[in-house]
Amino acid sequence: MGKKRSIDLATTQIVQGDALELLDRLPDESVSLALTSPPYNIGKSYERDMFTSLADYEKWMVRLIRKLVKKVKPDGHICWQVGNHVADGSLTPLDYLFYPMFAKHGCQLRNRIIWRFNFGLHAQRRFSGRYETLLWFSRSDAYDFNLDPVRVPQLYPGKRHSASKGDRAGRPSGNPLGKNPSDYWEFDPETAFFGDAVWNIPNVKANHPEKTAQPCQFPSELADRCILAMTKPGDIVLDPFVGTGTSAICAHGRDRVGIGFELDVDRADMANNRLELFKRGELPLRQSGAMPVRPNLSNKVAQIPDEWLLEAAE
């Protein structure tokens, strides 16, 4: 067999193929940010041929992470967004499963970020799940973190240092550029960019402008925040499970090089089509920071049904 062709590191692209094999085509220590949401092994159609059990899933991921970490620069980052594996109603939190896999390779957990959303499957015998987690690892202590592009304005910009602060007494105590948004963000203009912060990013459901036929789709806002905070223009952002291409598209839009791997041929074609639409300015994306939809109480579907009122009165 001949030598496998390397991947162009200067051009945003979606590459169809198995991530385990495609990682071998990337130079070591070439990626500034690995950003992805891996399959959860919960029985989706695109997972059935990959994993037969949770143990099988874990073994496969151990192999992938061993390769992936080597591709990330010493000052680079890994953002690993996961939910839960569910089997017969019993949950296994996947961040719990993945943490030791990365820690084994010296990756250091900087934040366990909570992403909250409003819609999803309705549980019958437990509380309905409405959040997932994003594990942010750095390869080492020598990493860059660009706080300024993702700061949110101060709640109390007029707050000043007390008399006990010596030379700083009476001076404004906050940063004029804004405050650190913390690890629990609400991604809407009033409570995220202009106030307290929670990652409340609508998941890609129903009428979301980014909705495709792909289930469990990655929202662009989540990717965008990570790209801004952890990379600079020209850096390479890798998504080994790119799906419909969102992370690569966001990277390209921020003047980074987005590289995505996708095993499924149809999804890879969809991702490439979406990337081309984005380059032409024709891809609908939800604006980062746009207010999540709130119920309009004058709308019939937001009102209590008459049948419920009658039942309560009986």
Side-chain angles (χ1 to χ4, degrees):
M1 291 179 63
K3 184 178 180 180
K4 294 181 179 179
R5 182 169 56 89
S6 61
I7 293 171
D8 182 5
L9 301 184
T11 305
T12 293
Q13 62 203 277
I14 311 298
V15 185
Q16 190 276 321
D18 188 321
L20 275 175
E21 298 175 2
L22 292 174
L23 282 169
D24 293 334
R25 292 167 53 183
L26 287 175
D28 288 352
E29 300 184 354
S30 60
V31 172
S32 294
L33 170 63
L35 166 65
T36 196
S37 180
Y40 296 177
N41 189 27
I42 55 175
K44 296 293 183 181
S45 58
Y46 52 88
E47 300 173 325
R48 290 173 190 151
D49 294 334
M50 295 180 66
F51 316 113
T52 59
S53 67
L54 185 60
D56 181 45
Y57 172 81
E58 186 173 1
K59 289 178 182 177
W60 194 91
M61 286 297 178
V62 165
R63 293 173 60 204
L64 180 121
I65 288 169
R66 184 188 306 123
K67 289 189 176 186
L68 177 67
V69 170
K70 293 178 181 178
K71 307 305 173 182
V72 178
K73 293 181 177 181
D75 61 353
H77 311 265
I78 298 168
C79 286
W80 202 258
Q81 190 269 312
V82 290
N84 299 306
H85 168 77
V86 184
D88 299 323
S90 179
L91 271 65
T92 299
L94 290 178
D95 55 338
Y96 171 85
L97 191 73
F98 280 112
Y99 171 78
M101 297 186 198
F102 287 102
K104 178 181 179 180
H105 297 287
C107 297
Q108 300 177 37
L109 186 65
R110 299 300 171 184
N111 280 118
R112 179 179 181 269
I113 297 165
I114 304 300
W115 165 34
R116 180 171 69 88
F117 44 82
N118 288 330
F119 300 101
L121 293 175
H122 298 291
Q124 298 295 321
R125 301 186 63 195
R126 58 183 172 86
F127 295 114
S128 298
R130 291 297 180 267
Y131 80 92
E132 295 188 351
T133 56
L134 187 150
L135 301 177
W136 165 30
F137 295 94
S138 67
R139 279 286 318 269
S140 69
D141 283 330
Y143 67 94
D144 291 326
F145 177 55
N146 309 315
L147 181 58
D148 287 350
V150 296
R151 286 184 182 274
V152 295
Q154 304 284 350
L155 281 177
Y156 302 104
K159 186 177 180 182
R160 296 178 180 274
H161 286 295
S162 64
S164 64
K165 296 298 182 179
D167 292 343
R168 291 180 292 169
R171 297 173 60 185
S173 61
N175 188 313
L177 297 178
K179 66 174 184 174
N180 187 315
S182 84
D183 59 358
Y184 187 57
W185 297 352
E186 183 148 24
F187 227 115
D188 69 54
E190 294 186 359
T191 59
F193 291 123
F194 303 111
D196 201 13
V198 176
W199 277 38
N200 182 8
I201 305 171
N203 48 341
V204 183
K205 298 280 186 181
N207 295 324
H208 195 292
E210 299 166 23
K211 177 63 179 170
T212 70
Q214 165 74 4
C216 304
Q217 193 173 332
F218 203 56
S220 64
E221 292 175 83
L222 197 151
D224 199 43
R225 176 66 61 98
C226 296
I227 290 165
L228 282 173
M230 300 171 199
T231 65
K232 60 184 182 299
D235 282 348
I236 295 171
V237 177
L238 170 68
D239 188 338
F241 305 102
V242 79
T244 58
T246 299
S247 54
I249 289 167
C250 288
H252 186 78
R254 294 297 185 178
D255 297 320
R256 280 70 165 169
V257 176
I259 296 175
F261 300 156
E262 176 51 48
L263 179 63
D264 184 85
V265 175
D266 291 337
R267 282 196 300 275
D269 287 343
M270 181 189 297
N272 274 307
N273 289 336
R274 294 182 76 230
L275 177 59
E276 290 307 311
L277 287 172
F278 179 80
K279 290 178 178 179
R280 299 200 301 264
E282 299 173 6
L283 181 69
L285 292 176
R286 188 178 188 277
Q287 180 183 356
S288 288
M291 177 74 76
V293 173
R294 299 289 192 268
N296 181 346
L297 297 182
S298 65
N299 193 311
K300 192 69 174 177
V301 298
Q303 299 173 12
I304 298 175
D306 293 338
E307 296 91 331
W308 291 6
L309 295 173
L310 290 172
E311 290 174 5
E314 292 177 355

